[in-house]
Amino acid sequence: MKIALWILIFLATFSFMEFMAWFTHKYVMHGFLWSLHKDHHKKDHDSWFERNDAFFLFYAAVSITLFYLGSSTSFWYGWPLGFGILAYGIAYFMVHDIFIHQRFKFLRNANNWYARGVRRAHKMHHKHLGKEDGECFGMLVVPFKYFKKQ
């Protein structure tokens, strides 16, 4: 029974993180912390790193804290919560940084229905260079209109 609950918590956490990514992207990154995110829309430096990369530190700290609590207290569900956040972070990194922005040069040739839709949606998001008038703030789940044949 505990393993089934563990898996359910992990999957629920992973799924909830898509909402958190959307919310954080729309209201924090394109809001009061635009100063950290704007170099992702319009590069203003020569570094491979972006100020925007700092956002992963917040969720990494939350995940690490949950692992710590899961291992050193009776808060056992810190483990599936922490792994759900970690797994979403890995998925986000693979889709956003590797597949879409090609920060590492692999997954270049992915060209299936899902890959094209996610890439289209992200391209629409990046057509806006400022913090206002943005669209499509999610990452793994994007509006169906981006999956239709062009």
Side-chain angles (χ1 to χ4, degrees):
M1 177 63 179
K2 192 172 184 179
I3 191 78
L5 186 55
W6 202 101
I7 292 169
L8 182 64
I9 293 169
F10 168 82
L11 292 173
T13 302
F14 183 92
S15 299
F16 182 70
M17 287 304 296
E18 177 67 12
F19 166 76
M20 288 303 300
W22 171 86
F23 182 88
T24 303
H25 193 178
K26 184 168 183 163
Y27 295 109
V28 176
M29 293 177 178
H30 282 256
F32 66 94
L33 288 180
W34 173 249
S35 61
L36 290 177
H37 185 62
K38 68 181 173 183
D39 71 334
H40 181 63
H41 283 264
K42 187 174 183 188
K43 193 166 181 160
D44 60 0
H45 54 78
D46 293 327
S47 175
W48 183 83
F49 290 102
E50 299 174 347
R51 290 181 297 274
N52 183 65
D53 294 334
F55 287 106
F56 97 90
L57 294 172
F58 171 76
Y59 288 109
V62 171
S63 185
I64 290 166
T65 300
L66 289 165
F67 289 144
Y68 173 76
L69 291 173
S71 66
S72 62
T73 70
S74 61
F75 189 73
W76 65 266
Y77 39 96
W79 285 106
L81 290 168
F83 274 115
I85 293 169
L86 173 64
Y88 185 84
I90 292 168
Y92 189 100
F93 178 75
M94 294 293 292
V95 169
H96 183 262
D97 290 298
I98 295 177
F99 172 65
I100 293 174
H101 288 291
Q102 292 292 302
R103 289 178 80 177
F104 298 96
K105 304 301 180 197
F106 61 95
L107 295 181
R108 297 180 121 173
N109 298 324
N111 196 24
N112 59 54
W113 175 79
Y114 177 75
R116 285 190 306 272
V118 168
R119 192 180 288 130
R120 245 183 242 127
H122 203 73
K123 186 175 183 175
M124 292 307 294
H125 176 74
H126 275 273
K127 80 175 186 176
H128 304 282
L129 298 179
K131 74 181 206 175
E132 291 85 18
D133 301 324
E135 62 182 278
C136 214
F137 293 94
M139 178 52 51
L140 302 178
V141 179
V142 298
F144 186 72
K145 67 182 181 179
Y146 297 108
F147 294 105
K148 294 179 181 172
K149 282 221 181 239
Q150 297 292 330

PDB file of all heavy atoms in Angstrom, residues 94-95 98-102 104-116 119:
ATOM      1  N   MET A  94      15.330  19.007 -20.122  1.00  0.00           N
ATOM      2  CA  MET A  94      15.461  18.283 -21.391  1.00  0.00           C
ATOM      3  C   MET A  94      14.649  18.961 -22.498  1.00  0.00           C
ATOM      4  O   MET A  94      15.142  19.130 -23.614  1.00  0.00           O
ATOM      5  CB  MET A  94      15.004  16.825 -21.231  1.00  0.00           C
ATOM      6  CG  MET A  94      15.864  15.992 -20.314  1.00  0.00           C
ATOM      7  SD  MET A  94      17.505  15.683 -20.917  1.00  0.00           S
ATOM      8  CE  MET A  94      17.175  14.637 -22.295  1.00  0.00           C
ATOM      9  N   VAL A  95      13.423  19.347 -22.200  1.00  0.00           N
ATOM     10  CA  VAL A  95      12.557  19.952 -23.217  1.00  0.00           C
ATOM     11  C   VAL A  95      12.980  21.392 -23.505  1.00  0.00           C
ATOM     12  O   VAL A  95      13.165  21.781 -24.664  1.00  0.00           O
ATOM     13  CB  VAL A  95      11.070  19.898 -22.787  1.00  0.00           C
ATOM     14  CG1 VAL A  95      10.197  20.740 -23.698  1.00  0.00           C
ATOM     15  CG2 VAL A  95      10.589  18.460 -22.761  1.00  0.00           C
ATOM     16  N   ILE A  98      17.543  21.780 -23.659  1.00  0.00           N
ATOM     17  CA  ILE A  98      18.222  20.927 -24.639  1.00  0.00           C
ATOM     18  C   ILE A  98      17.453  20.864 -25.950  1.00  0.00           C
ATOM     19  O   ILE A  98      17.986  21.175 -27.007  1.00  0.00           O
ATOM     20  CB  ILE A  98      18.464  19.513 -24.062  1.00  0.00           C
ATOM     21  CG1 ILE A  98      19.452  19.621 -22.888  1.00  0.00           C
ATOM     22  CG2 ILE A  98      18.996  18.584 -25.142  1.00  0.00           C
ATOM     23  CD1 ILE A  98      19.719  18.311 -22.189  1.00  0.00           C
ATOM     24  N   PHE A  99      16.177  20.494 -25.897  1.00  0.00           N
ATOM     25  CA  PHE A  99      15.411  20.326 -27.130  1.00  0.00           C
ATOM     26  C   PHE A  99      15.076  21.655 -27.805  1.00  0.00           C
ATOM     27  O   PHE A  99      15.335  21.851 -28.987  1.00  0.00           O
ATOM     28  CB  PHE A  99      14.134  19.534 -26.859  1.00  0.00           C
ATOM     29  CG  PHE A  99      13.205  19.484 -28.028  1.00  0.00           C
ATOM     30  CD1 PHE A  99      13.575  18.835 -29.188  1.00  0.00           C
ATOM     31  CD2 PHE A  99      11.970  20.102 -27.976  1.00  0.00           C
ATOM     32  CE1 PHE A  99      12.733  18.804 -30.293  1.00  0.00           C
ATOM     33  CE2 PHE A  99      11.119  20.079 -29.066  1.00  0.00           C
ATOM     34  CZ  PHE A  99      11.501  19.425 -30.224  1.00  0.00           C
ATOM     35  N   ILE A 100      14.497  22.601 -27.064  1.00  0.00           N
ATOM     36  CA  ILE A 100      14.037  23.853 -27.681  1.00  0.00           C
ATOM     37  C   ILE A 100      15.193  24.821 -27.940  1.00  0.00           C
ATOM     38  O   ILE A 100      15.383  25.289 -29.050  1.00  0.00           O
ATOM     39  CB  ILE A 100      12.941  24.520 -26.826  1.00  0.00           C
ATOM     40  CG1 ILE A 100      11.685  23.654 -26.842  1.00  0.00           C
ATOM     41  CG2 ILE A 100      12.637  25.926 -27.341  1.00  0.00           C
ATOM     42  CD1 ILE A 100      10.578  24.122 -25.928  1.00  0.00           C
ATOM     43  N   HIS A 101      15.959  25.143 -26.898  1.00  0.00           N
ATOM     44  CA  HIS A 101      16.997  26.166 -27.046  1.00  0.00           C
ATOM     45  C   HIS A 101      18.361  25.623 -27.472  1.00  0.00           C
ATOM     46  O   HIS A 101      19.276  26.410 -27.710  1.00  0.00           O
ATOM     47  CB  HIS A 101      17.122  26.984 -25.761  1.00  0.00           C
ATOM     48  CG  HIS A 101      15.963  27.900 -25.549  1.00  0.00           C
ATOM     49  ND1 HIS A 101      15.736  29.005 -26.338  1.00  0.00           N
ATOM     50  CD2 HIS A 101      14.941  27.854 -24.662  1.00  0.00           C
ATOM     51  CE1 HIS A 101      14.636  29.609 -25.937  1.00  0.00           C
ATOM     52  NE2 HIS A 101      14.118  28.930 -24.922  1.00  0.00           N
ATOM     53  N   GLN A 102      18.496  24.296 -27.561  1.00  0.00           N
ATOM     54  CA  GLN A 102      19.721  23.668 -28.052  1.00  0.00           C
ATOM     55  C   GLN A 102      20.973  24.141 -27.316  1.00  0.00           C
ATOM     56  O   GLN A 102      22.016  24.381 -27.931  1.00  0.00           O
ATOM     57  CB  GLN A 102      19.867  23.913 -29.560  1.00  0.00           C
ATOM     58  CG  GLN A 102      18.838  23.197 -30.398  1.00  0.00           C
ATOM     59  CD  GLN A 102      19.028  21.701 -30.358  1.00  0.00           C
ATOM     60  OE1 GLN A 102      20.077  21.202 -30.700  1.00  0.00           O
ATOM     61  NE2 GLN A 102      18.008  20.999 -29.914  1.00  0.00           N
ATOM     62  N   PHE A 104      22.637  22.311 -25.427  1.00  0.00           N
ATOM     63  CA  PHE A 104      23.511  21.172 -25.694  1.00  0.00           C
ATOM     64  C   PHE A 104      23.034  20.609 -27.028  1.00  0.00           C
ATOM     65  O   PHE A 104      21.843  20.559 -27.291  1.00  0.00           O
ATOM     66  CB  PHE A 104      23.403  20.121 -24.587  1.00  0.00           C
ATOM     67  CG  PHE A 104      23.834  20.638 -23.249  1.00  0.00           C
ATOM     68  CD1 PHE A 104      22.891  21.118 -22.347  1.00  0.00           C
ATOM     69  CD2 PHE A 104      25.166  20.656 -22.891  1.00  0.00           C
ATOM     70  CE1 PHE A 104      23.279  21.608 -21.117  1.00  0.00           C
ATOM     71  CE2 PHE A 104      25.560  21.141 -21.655  1.00  0.00           C
ATOM     72  CZ  PHE A 104      24.620  21.619 -20.777  1.00  0.00           C
ATOM     73  N   LYS A 105      23.938  20.177 -27.840  1.00  0.00           N
ATOM     74  CA  LYS A 105      23.592  19.846 -29.220  1.00  0.00           C
ATOM     75  C   LYS A 105      23.173  18.381 -29.406  1.00  0.00           C
ATOM     76  O   LYS A 105      23.805  17.623 -30.125  1.00  0.00           O
ATOM     77  CB  LYS A 105      24.759  20.182 -30.141  1.00  0.00           C
ATOM     78  CG  LYS A 105      25.216  21.627 -30.043  1.00  0.00           C
ATOM     79  CD  LYS A 105      24.097  22.587 -30.372  1.00  0.00           C
ATOM     80  CE  LYS A 105      24.587  24.021 -30.267  1.00  0.00           C
ATOM     81  NZ  LYS A 105      23.556  24.987 -30.178  1.00  0.00           N
ATOM     82  N   PHE A 106      22.096  17.993 -28.748  1.00  0.00           N
ATOM     83  CA  PHE A 106      21.463  16.722 -29.075  1.00  0.00           C
ATOM     84  C   PHE A 106      19.964  16.883 -28.932  1.00  0.00           C
ATOM     85  O   PHE A 106      19.500  17.916 -28.494  1.00  0.00           O
ATOM     86  CB  PHE A 106      22.032  15.538 -28.266  1.00  0.00           C
ATOM     87  CG  PHE A 106      21.891  15.622 -26.782  1.00  0.00           C
ATOM     88  CD1 PHE A 106      20.826  15.024 -26.139  1.00  0.00           C
ATOM     89  CD2 PHE A 106      22.845  16.269 -26.011  1.00  0.00           C
ATOM     90  CE1 PHE A 106      20.700  15.088 -24.764  1.00  0.00           C
ATOM     91  CE2 PHE A 106      22.731  16.333 -24.635  1.00  0.00           C
ATOM     92  CZ  PHE A 106      21.655  15.737 -24.009  1.00  0.00           C
ATOM     93  N   LEU A 107      19.213  15.921 -29.368  1.00  0.00           N
ATOM     94  CA  LEU A 107      17.751  16.006 -29.528  1.00  0.00           C
ATOM     95  C   LEU A 107      17.375  17.028 -30.597  1.00  0.00           C
ATOM     96  O   LEU A 107      16.293  17.576 -30.580  1.00  0.00           O
ATOM     97  CB  LEU A 107      17.057  16.358 -28.203  1.00  0.00           C
ATOM     98  CG  LEU A 107      17.149  15.365 -27.072  1.00  0.00           C
ATOM     99  CD1 LEU A 107      16.388  15.882 -25.846  1.00  0.00           C
ATOM    100  CD2 LEU A 107      16.586  14.017 -27.472  1.00  0.00           C
ATOM    101  N   ARG A 108      18.278  17.267 -31.519  1.00  0.00           N
ATOM    102  CA  ARG A 108      18.030  18.260 -32.573  1.00  0.00           C
ATOM    103  C   ARG A 108      17.013  17.781 -33.588  1.00  0.00           C
ATOM    104  O   ARG A 108      16.327  18.589 -34.205  1.00  0.00           O
ATOM    105  CB  ARG A 108      19.321  18.574 -33.317  1.00  0.00           C
ATOM    106  CG  ARG A 108      20.367  19.192 -32.473  1.00  0.00           C
ATOM    107  CD  ARG A 108      21.581  19.447 -33.297  1.00  0.00           C
ATOM    108  NE  ARG A 108      21.818  20.880 -33.216  1.00  0.00           N
ATOM    109  CZ  ARG A 108      22.863  21.465 -33.697  1.00  0.00           C
ATOM    110  NH1 ARG A 108      23.767  20.771 -34.331  1.00  0.00           N
ATOM    111  NH2 ARG A 108      23.017  22.757 -33.566  1.00  0.00           N
ATOM    112  N   ASN A 109      16.962  16.497 -33.818  1.00  0.00           N
ATOM    113  CA  ASN A 109      16.147  15.985 -34.918  1.00  0.00           C
ATOM    114  C   ASN A 109      14.779  15.473 -34.493  1.00  0.00           C
ATOM    115  O   ASN A 109      14.091  14.877 -35.312  1.00  0.00           O
ATOM    116  CB  ASN A 109      16.919  14.883 -35.651  1.00  0.00           C
ATOM    117  CG  ASN A 109      18.199  15.419 -36.253  1.00  0.00           C
ATOM    118  OD1 ASN A 109      18.248  16.548 -36.710  1.00  0.00           O
ATOM    119  ND2 ASN A 109      19.249  14.616 -36.229  1.00  0.00           N
ATOM    120  N   ALA A 110      14.403  15.689 -33.247  1.00  0.00           N
ATOM    121  CA  ALA A 110      13.067  15.266 -32.808  1.00  0.00           C
ATOM    122  C   ALA A 110      12.040  16.054 -33.617  1.00  0.00           C
ATOM    123  O   ALA A 110      12.061  17.277 -33.630  1.00  0.00           O
ATOM    124  CB  ALA A 110      12.901  15.506 -31.319  1.00  0.00           C
ATOM    125  N   ASN A 111      11.169  15.342 -34.281  1.00  0.00           N
ATOM    126  CA  ASN A 111      10.232  16.028 -35.169  1.00  0.00           C
ATOM    127  C   ASN A 111       8.876  15.336 -35.177  1.00  0.00           C
ATOM    128  O   ASN A 111       8.222  15.261 -36.202  1.00  0.00           O
ATOM    129  CB  ASN A 111      10.821  16.099 -36.586  1.00  0.00           C
ATOM    130  CG  ASN A 111      10.095  17.117 -37.426  1.00  0.00           C
ATOM    131  OD1 ASN A 111       9.494  18.054 -36.914  1.00  0.00           O
ATOM    132  ND2 ASN A 111      10.120  16.920 -38.728  1.00  0.00           N
ATOM    133  N   ASN A 112       8.451  14.835 -34.030  1.00  0.00           N
ATOM    134  CA  ASN A 112       7.143  14.195 -33.965  1.00  0.00           C
ATOM    135  C   ASN A 112       6.070  15.241 -33.645  1.00  0.00           C
ATOM    136  O   ASN A 112       6.371  16.419 -33.441  1.00  0.00           O
ATOM    137  CB  ASN A 112       7.153  13.051 -32.940  1.00  0.00           C
ATOM    138  CG  ASN A 112       7.509  13.536 -31.553  1.00  0.00           C
ATOM    139  OD1 ASN A 112       6.887  14.452 -31.022  1.00  0.00           O
ATOM    140  ND2 ASN A 112       8.532  12.939 -30.960  1.00  0.00           N
ATOM    141  N   TRP A 113       4.839  14.809 -33.585  1.00  0.00           N
ATOM    142  CA  TRP A 113       3.691  15.689 -33.340  1.00  0.00           C
ATOM    143  C   TRP A 113       3.860  16.512 -32.067  1.00  0.00           C
ATOM    144  O   TRP A 113       3.675  17.728 -32.083  1.00  0.00           O
ATOM    145  CB  TRP A 113       2.446  14.805 -33.265  1.00  0.00           C
ATOM    146  CG  TRP A 113       1.172  15.487 -32.896  1.00  0.00           C
ATOM    147  CD1 TRP A 113       0.382  16.222 -33.725  1.00  0.00           C
ATOM    148  CD2 TRP A 113       0.531  15.501 -31.622  1.00  0.00           C
ATOM    149  NE1 TRP A 113      -0.722  16.679 -33.047  1.00  0.00           N
ATOM    150  CE2 TRP A 113      -0.645  16.247 -31.736  1.00  0.00           C
ATOM    151  CE3 TRP A 113       0.838  14.943 -30.390  1.00  0.00           C
ATOM    152  CZ2 TRP A 113      -1.504  16.461 -30.679  1.00  0.00           C
ATOM    153  CZ3 TRP A 113      -0.025  15.152 -29.332  1.00  0.00           C
ATOM    154  CH2 TRP A 113      -1.178  15.907 -29.489  1.00  0.00           C
ATOM    155  N   TYR A 114       4.237  15.869 -30.980  1.00  0.00           N
ATOM    156  CA  TYR A 114       4.403  16.562 -29.703  1.00  0.00           C
ATOM    157  C   TYR A 114       5.566  17.546 -29.766  1.00  0.00           C
ATOM    158  O   TYR A 114       5.436  18.699 -29.355  1.00  0.00           O
ATOM    159  CB  TYR A 114       4.613  15.551 -28.573  1.00  0.00           C
ATOM    160  CG  TYR A 114       4.855  16.199 -27.233  1.00  0.00           C
ATOM    161  CD1 TYR A 114       3.802  16.770 -26.524  1.00  0.00           C
ATOM    162  CD2 TYR A 114       6.125  16.278 -26.687  1.00  0.00           C
ATOM    163  CE1 TYR A 114       4.001  17.387 -25.306  1.00  0.00           C
ATOM    164  CE2 TYR A 114       6.341  16.882 -25.474  1.00  0.00           C
ATOM    165  CZ  TYR A 114       5.294  17.442 -24.783  1.00  0.00           C
ATOM    166  OH  TYR A 114       5.498  18.062 -23.586  1.00  0.00           O
ATOM    167  N   ALA A 115       6.688  17.129 -30.297  1.00  0.00           N
ATOM    168  CA  ALA A 115       7.875  17.983 -30.374  1.00  0.00           C
ATOM    169  C   ALA A 115       7.590  19.247 -31.185  1.00  0.00           C
ATOM    170  O   ALA A 115       7.965  20.355 -30.781  1.00  0.00           O
ATOM    171  CB  ALA A 115       9.041  17.201 -30.979  1.00  0.00           C
ATOM    172  N   ARG A 116       6.933  19.094 -32.318  1.00  0.00           N
ATOM    173  CA  ARG A 116       6.607  20.264 -33.147  1.00  0.00           C
ATOM    174  C   ARG A 116       5.661  21.215 -32.416  1.00  0.00           C
ATOM    175  O   ARG A 116       5.824  22.441 -32.488  1.00  0.00           O
ATOM    176  CB  ARG A 116       6.000  19.829 -34.476  1.00  0.00           C
ATOM    177  CG  ARG A 116       7.010  19.264 -35.452  1.00  0.00           C
ATOM    178  CD  ARG A 116       6.426  19.070 -36.848  1.00  0.00           C
ATOM    179  NE  ARG A 116       5.206  18.274 -36.865  1.00  0.00           N
ATOM    180  CZ  ARG A 116       5.165  16.945 -36.958  1.00  0.00           C
ATOM    181  NH1 ARG A 116       6.269  16.258 -37.050  1.00  0.00           N
ATOM    182  NH2 ARG A 116       4.013  16.316 -36.976  1.00  0.00           N
ATOM    183  N   ARG A 119       7.543  23.033 -29.567  1.00  0.00           N
ATOM    184  CA  ARG A 119       8.477  24.000 -30.161  1.00  0.00           C
ATOM    185  C   ARG A 119       7.723  25.216 -30.699  1.00  0.00           C
ATOM    186  O   ARG A 119       8.132  26.360 -30.499  1.00  0.00           O
ATOM    187  CB  ARG A 119       9.266  23.333 -31.281  1.00  0.00           C
ATOM    188  CG  ARG A 119      10.438  24.186 -31.747  1.00  0.00           C
ATOM    189  CD  ARG A 119      11.232  23.539 -32.870  1.00  0.00           C
ATOM    190  NE  ARG A 119      12.011  22.424 -32.385  1.00  0.00           N
ATOM    191  CZ  ARG A 119      12.006  21.217 -32.953  1.00  0.00           C
ATOM    192  NH1 ARG A 119      11.255  20.959 -33.994  1.00  0.00           N
ATOM    193  NH2 ARG A 119      12.760  20.259 -32.483  1.00  0.00           N
TER     194      ARG A 119
END
